[in-house]
């Protein structure tokens, strides 16, 4: 009897190794061919900027090409759907943000690493003559619905952060959704839009040249990358806080060993002085997380924004 039990145990152990060894070998060999990072927004936005900074570095580390593939549309859901249907092998990833995830599709992805969770910047067209958050609120109250704001799509952080601002400040402004932040910034520069709550990496270059005016940052505390800007709360709307985040995800079912390899390499990149410098110059602070920590972060963000979406009756992903 004992001999039979020992034989069964040895067989079970051999079976376990048969499962583990191919997975470990896959991770050690990864990547052996080009990796694609899908950005579900047009070029020029925050997700695109960070994907290209990270992709250029990983290309050198992995000695294989990292391709950034822009697939905009439906508030980020066209690109998200493409990645969700891709083979779960680590070779097709997504640089995600709030817009491309919701309660329905979040289970289709495996978190890899949070890349940046940074303040958005409240920027206005200088021709408005608005120089502070208090002046912005006063103008919006005096002219309800006249001011308009752009976003990278319905349900994006650049949209929801303004909806929260409107609610806390007790004002009305008109929302104009775009397929991506870059397109909205173009219209803001041209005067078609009044203002935006935008990723710093897409607007601070224009602020520095005077083509846009920055009023505040949306985070609860001042940004380390933009210490000269007050928070919205300290500039006149107490209790307000929101951040925009970007992170890498893979299709659900991607082997844990591959996810861990990706997380390790991404976090190593985010510690590189040159990467930190590039991100901070664009107003984005690097974040370092485990896959589990990123998953917890995503769930908390979804819970927060879902409450607002449900309260306001916002239809996301259309």
């Amino acid at each position: 009897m004992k001999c039979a039990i020992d034989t069964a145990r040895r067989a079970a152990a051999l079976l376990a190794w048969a499962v583990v060894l191919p997975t470990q070998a896959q991770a050690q060999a990864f990547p052996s061919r080009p990796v694609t990072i899908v950005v579900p927004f047009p070029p020029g936005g925050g997700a695109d900027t960070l994907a290209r900074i990270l992709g250029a570095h990983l290309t050198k580390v992995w000695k294989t090409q990292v391709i950034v593939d822009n697939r905009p549309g439906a508030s980020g859901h066209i690109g998200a759907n493409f990645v969700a249907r891709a083979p779960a092998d680590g070779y097709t990833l997504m640089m995600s943000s709030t817009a491309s995830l919701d309660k329905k599709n979040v289970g289709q992805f495996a978190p890899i690493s949070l890349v940046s969770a940074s303040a958005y910047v409240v920027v206005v067209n200088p021709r408005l003559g608005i120089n502070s958050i208090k002046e912005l609120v006063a103008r919006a109250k005096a002219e309800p619905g006249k001011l308009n704001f752009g976003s990278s799509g319905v349900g994006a952080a650049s949209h929801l952060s303004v909806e929260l601002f409107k609610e806390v400040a007790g004002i009305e402004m008109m929302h104009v959704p775009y397929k991506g932040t870059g397109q909205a910034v173009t219209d803001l520069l041209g005067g078609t839009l009044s203002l935006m709550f935008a990723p710093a990496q897409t607007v601070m270059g224009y602020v520095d040249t005077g083509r846009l005016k920055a009023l505040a940052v949306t985070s609860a505390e001042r940004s380390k990358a933009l210490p000269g800007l007050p928070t919205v709360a300290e500039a006149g709307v107490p209790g307000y806080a929101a951040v925009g985040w970007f992170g890498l995800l893979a299709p659900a079912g991607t082997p844990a060993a591959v996810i861990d390899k990706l997380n390790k390499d991404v976090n190593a990149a985010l510690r590189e002085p040159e990467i930190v410098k590039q991100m901070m110059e664009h107003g984005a602070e690097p974040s370092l997380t485990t896959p589990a920590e990123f998953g917890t972060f995503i769930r908390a963000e979804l819970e927060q924004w879902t409450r607002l979406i449900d309260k306001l009756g916002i239809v996301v992903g259309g």
Side-chain angles (χ1 to χ4, degrees), residues 224-316:
K224 294 178 182 178
L226 304 167
L229 288 176
T231 67
V232 169
E234 65 183 337
V237 185
Y240 176 88
V243 296
W245 63 267
F246 302 97
L248 275 181
L249 296 102
T254 300
V258 174
I259 294 291
D260 290 342
K261 162 73 171 170
L262 286 163
N263 175 264
K264 177 183 176 182
D265 290 350
V266 169
N267 281 343
L270 296 175
R271 292 187 183 96
E272 284 290 327
E274 182 57 31
I275 298 296
V276 174
K277 179 174 180 286
Q278 288 182 57
M279 290 179 64
M280 294 290 279
E281 285 176 347
H282 285 91
E285 298 178 34
S287 298
L288 298 171
T289 65
T290 65
E293 289 168 344
F294 185 29
T296 299
F297 175 87
I298 289 172
R299 289 191 293 273
E301 283 286 297
L302 280 177
E303 183 178 348
Q304 173 190 352
W305 292 122
T306 297
R307 284 197 297 266
L308 183 65
I309 287 169
D310 291 345
K311 180 178 180 181
L312 300 179
I314 297 170
V315 179
V316 180

Side-chain angles (χ1 to χ4, degrees), residues 6 8 14 24 29 45 63 69 96 118 144 155 158 170 178 183 223 226-227 229 236 241 246 270 302:
D6 289 342
L14 287 171
Q24 291 179 336
K63 295 180 172 53
D69 181 10
S96 184
S118 304
S158 53
Y178 291 77
Q183 294 175 331
S223 166
L226 304 167
L229 288 176
F246 302 97
L270 296 175
L302 280 177

Side-chain angles (χ1 to χ4, degrees), residues 79-120:
N81 290 340
F82 175 83
V83 175
R85 294 192 298 266
D89 55 12
Y91 287 93
T92 303
L93 311 175
M94 176 170 69
M95 182 65 79
S96 184
S97 68
T98 304
S100 48
L101 296 180
D102 57 33
K103 292 184 295 184
K104 295 179 181 178
N105 73 358
V106 67
Q108 298 177 325
F109 301 96
I112 296 170
S113 182
L114 180 64
V115 174
S116 179
S118 304
Y120 273 10

Side-chain angles (χ1 to χ4, degrees), residues 119-122 215-219 221-223 226 229-233:
Y120 273 10
V121 182
V122 183
L215 305 182
V217 292
T218 61
S219 48
E221 299 178 354
R222 291 201 181 200
S223 166
L226 304 167
L229 288 176
T231 67
V232 169

